[in-house]
Amino acid sequence: MPARFDLLVLDLDGTLVDSEALLVGRVNETVAAHGFACADPGAVAATIGLPLDEVFRRALPSASAPTIQALCVHYREHADRPDFVRQFNLFPRVTETLLALRTAGARLVIGTSKGRATTVDIAQHCGIAELIDDFIGGDCVTRGKPHPEMVEYARARFAAPAARTLMVGDTSFDITMGQAAGVATCAVTYGMHAAEALRALRPDFVIDVFAQLTGIVSCET
């Protein structure tokens, strides 16, 4: 049976890697280092996936533009370090699922608000870099999630029709981005946004574990 999709755009944090506590902690460590009170962890987690400046803008609504820029610089100085990258871990069955998808002929792209170089480092640390066809970081586009540019970039890179492209992610930003790009969307319920909120957006598919993605791509579900 032919596959349903040729190109999968995969979010990273909360979809492939279990990084909520790690990232929320890094945001609040940065905030505290600049003399501000830490933000509510749940509120910070709800913004992960947006461009970094927007994450800090929502954590500190009264902060000036220069302060937001300084926070971003401080965050990246620490988040790009090898010792931080080594703390990332995959969700269960991600590696074998990516291998199965590649074996079935799907092109796999990671689309994330992280910088491309750091994303590659994380993928290499987690042992999945060779399974990924391309990495699209926030520094590869001019407009970050939930704008559709990231998906459009991936489609252009692999000449993939919208009808044969699937956006997979754990946040409303991923689903909204995919819908704006006119591609199919798949919400994962084990990440940073609540399953109810994701279902309210009416994605084409909803999965509770990453391994269920093979059934969607192979038309089994």
Side-chain angles (χ1 to χ4, degrees):
M1 183 178 294
R4 183 184 275 135
F5 300 105
D6 300 320
L7 173 65
L8 276 65
V9 183
L10 307 165
D11 173 58
L12 180 65
D13 295 297
T15 300
L16 301 180
V17 295
D18 185 2
S19 55
E20 179 175 339
L22 186 61
L23 299 181
V24 170
R26 181 71 263 157
V27 168
N28 269 332
E29 287 165 8
T30 302
V31 165
H34 285 255
F36 297 98
C38 291
D40 175 73
V44 174
T47 67
I48 299 298
L50 290 170
L52 186 59
D53 58 345
E54 185 62 22
V55 171
F56 282 115
R57 196 171 291 115
R58 295 193 184 192
L60 298 171
S62 62
S64 66
T67 297
I68 296 296
Q69 182 178 10
L71 290 164
C72 290
V73 170
H74 182 110
Y75 179 98
R76 291 190 177 104
E77 285 176 348
H78 291 78
D80 294 347
R81 292 176 180 173
D83 60 326
F84 190 75
V85 167
R86 286 195 295 269
Q87 297 179 61
F88 284 80
N89 293 296
L90 296 171
F91 281 109
R93 300 185 63 187
V94 165
T95 301
E96 52 263 53
T97 301
L98 294 177
L99 179 58
L101 293 169
R102 275 293 297 270
T103 301
R107 295 282 198 170
L108 305 177
V109 173
I110 291 180
T112 175
S113 294
K114 278 184 169 58
R116 187 181 190 278
T118 300
T119 302
V120 172
D121 287 345
I122 292 170
Q124 289 175 335
H125 160 70
C126 291
I128 60 170
E130 293 184 358
L131 299 175
I132 304 300
D133 292 286
D134 201 2
F135 301 84
I136 305 175
D139 51 354
C140 298
V141 296
T142 58
R143 291 159 295 188
K145 298 178 183 182
H147 192 278
E149 183 180 354
M150 194 170 287
V151 175
E152 293 166 350
Y153 182 109
R155 284 190 54 223
R157 169 79 171 79
F158 294 101
R164 302 284 298 173
T165 301
L166 179 67
M167 175 68 218
V168 183
D170 69 304
T171 71
S172 61
F173 318 126
D174 299 309
I175 304 307
T176 301
M177 176 174 69
Q179 290 172 338
V183 305
T185 56
C186 177
V188 305
T189 62
Y190 53 80
M192 300 190 204
H193 284 194
E196 299 78 22
L198 293 169
R199 287 192 174 93
L201 296 174
R202 298 187 177 181
D204 298 282
F205 308 96
V206 178
I207 58 176
D208 299 316
V209 293
F210 190 74
Q212 291 176 314
L213 197 55
T214 55
I216 290 172
V217 174
S218 65
C219 301
E220 294 175 2
T221 58

